[in-house]
Amino acid sequence: MAMSAIVACNNKKPMLTQAPQNPAETPTSQQTWNYGQLTDTIRNAKVIAHVKNGIYCGRGTCASVSIIEVDKKDTIRVLELSSMHSDFVQGEKVSIKPGKKPLSSISLPTIAAYDSKNYKTYYGTILAAN
């Protein structure tokens, strides 16, 4: 059943991951991922890369993956649960509202050039900047 939920959530080579409690529990493919919790909305950030999850989730939990430049010195990874908005293009200005860590496993698309990089990773909702 878990595999069918993964395939249903994502048409872009899914990757199953647990929402880790701490970095020691992070799956092997994401050992460098460092999870945090946003407390405030980030404004005027810039999209470096974005891959949406493909379709609505249903029984499984899915997330889009975005690499976001917060300022010239800080780049983060944002996981947006059950995201079905339009694709964000590279260089687009966005805001990121804090999101909650899921209670279950999630299916993620991969961004090969960025998946092994040690960006702080947050759950959030990405909105076009006003």
Side-chain angles (χ1 to χ4, degrees), residues 85-98:
H85 53 66
S86 301
D87 281 327
F88 290 106
V89 297
Q90 186 174 8
E92 185 171 351
K93 294 294 185 176
V94 295
S95 294
I96 303 149
K97 290 176 43 177

Side-chain angles (χ1 to χ4, degrees), residues 47-70:
V47 174
I48 302 299
H50 172 78
V51 178
K52 63 183 181 177
N53 64 14
I55 60 173
Y56 287 108
C57 289
R59 290 185 186 185
T61 304
C62 305
S64 65
V65 177
S66 301
I67 306 300
I68 306 290
E69 182 180 275
V70 177

